């Protein structure tokens, strides 16, 4: 990915063209995806409304229990959305796994994407030893990939950000730390 | 009869950005027709051409999914609160076609039953 992607992704309302997310949350998402493999896993990372900061990880059940499809249970969905409303939160990240294909939105993902304000995070678990983690905005059927900046809470986040700035996003950020 | 309807972000273009609107009707179908008279196009996002609730839209009456209450025929009362949420769903491949076929089958069966 290039700087051009950053610029393009920055055209939206409150988008800054990157998903910044704490490492413990990414680790929990990956663990969830591995646990449910070969079925697809899905969930939400909620954050304070308007903050664009994912802070509360909520793994959801895949009501479809499928290797090629995921769907929130409708009642669990309502409960979580109510809870976020009560806490003045919003779904900053909506994630799911692809278990045999790349971490890129399928036509199904695009046609069903109903939260234009969310980062759609995809994790591929097709390789047993490495995960592919990528993030997208999906608005009106248009997919825009954005870098994923994984923030290590154990060190000065500013230092991490400046170090990571300009790096190839997503894969590099993740793989560097994982090895 | 005033019924409060919570509109999801993706449909607020039909309500001038409003998160909550009011409507009236004895059933969900009546309510959606009433809403569509003031928020043109909204109903079309929720109900298919075959006249059934879209497979990937969730509509709730208070705390119940309307699919368990008779779907568009679900009865409404003054003071009910309606919540509309786009289903959170997707997946690797293939399902869009399967869903299209399934909704067509359901619509065909419903039409045959009338």
């Amino acid at each position: 990915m290039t700087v051009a992607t950053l610029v393009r992704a920055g055209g939206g309302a409150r988008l800054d063209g990157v998903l910044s997310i704490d490492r413990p949350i990414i680790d929990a998402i990956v663990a969830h995806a591995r646990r449910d493999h070969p079925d697809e896993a899905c969930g939400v990372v909620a954050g304070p409304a308007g903050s664009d900061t994912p802070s509360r990880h909520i793994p959801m059940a895949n009501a479809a229990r499928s290797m090629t499809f995921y769907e929130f249970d409708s009642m669990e969905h309502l409960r979580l959305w109510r809870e976020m409303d009560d806490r003045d939160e919003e779904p900053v990240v909506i994630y799911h796994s692809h278990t045999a294909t790349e971490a890129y939105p399928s036509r199904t993902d695009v046609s069903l994407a109903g939260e234009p304000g969310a980062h759609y995070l995809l994790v591929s678990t097709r390789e047993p030893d490495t995960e592919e983690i990528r993030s997208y905005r999906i608005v009106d059927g248009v997919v825009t990939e954005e870098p994923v900046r994984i923030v290590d809470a154990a060190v000065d986040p500013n230092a991490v950000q400046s170090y990571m700035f300009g790096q190839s996003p997503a894969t590099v950020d993740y793989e560097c730390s994982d090895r | 009869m005033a019924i409060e309807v919570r509109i999801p972000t993706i449909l607020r273009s039909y309500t001038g950005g409003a998160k909550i609107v009011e409507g009236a009707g004895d059933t969900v179908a009546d309510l959606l027709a009433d809403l569509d008279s003031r928020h043109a196009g909204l109903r079309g996002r929720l109900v298919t051409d075959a006249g059934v609730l879209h497979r990937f839209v969730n509509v709730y009456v208070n705390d119940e999914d309307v699919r368990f209450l008779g779907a568009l025929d679900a009865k409404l009362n003054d003071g009910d609160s309606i919540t509309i949420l786009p289903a959170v769903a997707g997946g690797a491949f293939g399902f869009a076609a399967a869903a299209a076929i399934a909704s067509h089958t359901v619509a065909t069966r419903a039409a045959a039953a009338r």
Side-chain angles (χ1 to χ4, degrees):
Chain A
M1 190 172 312
T2 64
V3 173
T5 306
L6 282 164
V7 172
R8 204 163 61 241
R14 60 172 174 72
L15 316 183
D16 62 3
V18 60
L19 170 62
S20 288
I21 187 166
D22 288 343
R23 175 168 308 284
I25 295 175
I26 284 288
D27 289 348
I29 290 171
V30 168
H32 180 203
R34 286 288 177 203
R35 198 161 62 237
D36 286 9
H37 185 93
D39 284 352
E40 294 195 1
C42 55
V44 169
V45 189
S51 71
D52 202 31
T53 302
S55 54
R56 188 166 71 93
H57 173 220
I58 305 109
M60 300 288 275
N62 178 0
R65 288 191 190 83
S66 162
M67 296 188 285
T68 56
F69 188 65
Y70 80 95
E71 183 172 23
F72 287 4
D73 172 79
S74 74
M75 296 312 297
E76 199 181 354
H77 184 182
L78 177 66
R79 278 195 296 275
L80 175 57
W81 258 242
R82 286 249 174 95
E83 183 183 278
M84 287 191 292
D85 252 6
D86 291 345
R87 296 168 61 122
D88 200 20
E89 291 176 331
E90 59 191 3
V92 179
V93 171
I94 294 175
Y95 71 88
H96 75 283
S97 62
H98 285 176
T99 59
T101 55
E102 68 174 327
Y104 191 85
S106 67
R107 285 168 66 179
T108 311
D109 291 331
V110 176
S111 66
L112 297 181
E115 293 288 346
H119 301 265
Y120 282 88
L121 186 77
L122 276 80
V123 178
S124 174
T125 55
R126 65 178 165 177
E127 301 292 340
D129 301 326
T130 59
E131 295 84 23
E132 185 189 13
I133 298 170
R134 297 166 71 178
S135 182
Y136 309 86
R137 295 288 187 170
I138 307 176
V139 180
D140 293 333
V142 177
V143 177
T144 307
E145 184 164 10
E146 59 188 358
V148 179
R149 181 191 292 148
I150 298 177
V151 179
D152 216 321
V155 297
D156 177 6
N158 292 321
V160 170
Q161 286 172 19
S162 59
Y163 167 71
M164 287 181 174
F165 184 79
Q167 298 284 322
S168 177
T171 51
V172 167
D173 285 358
Y174 186 72
E175 286 173 6
C176 278
S177 61
D178 207 34
R179 279 166 172 77
Chain B
M1 185 164 88
I3 295 167
E4 176 188 283
V5 184
R6 302 180 78 87
I7 305 292
T9 309
I10 197 167
L11 297 180
R12 287 179 200 159
S13 54
Y14 297 96
T15 60
K19 187 175 177 181
I20 298 176
V21 298
E22 286 204 342
D26 292 332
T27 64
V28 171
D30 292 347
L31 173 71
L32 295 183
D34 175 57
L35 291 179
D36 203 65
S37 69
R38 273 164 285 121
H39 310 291
L42 183 62
R43 182 180 181 281
R45 296 293 299 273
L46 309 175
V47 177
T48 68
D49 292 344
V52 297
L53 193 62
H54 193 288
R55 162 74 176 83
F56 294 109
V57 172
N58 296 331
V59 178
Y60 306 88
V61 178
N62 303 318
D63 295 327
E64 284 285 338
D65 187 327
V66 296
R67 289 191 178 83
F68 304 126
L69 301 172
L72 293 175
D73 296 329
K75 296 277 184 282
L76 299 180
N77 294 300
D78 197 10
D80 278 345
S81 175
I82 306 297
T83 303
I84 301 169
L85 293 177
V88 179
F93 59 88
F95 197 89
I101 292 164
S103 70
H104 178 260
T105 307
V106 168
T108 308
R109 277 200 204 119
R114 279 201 281 270

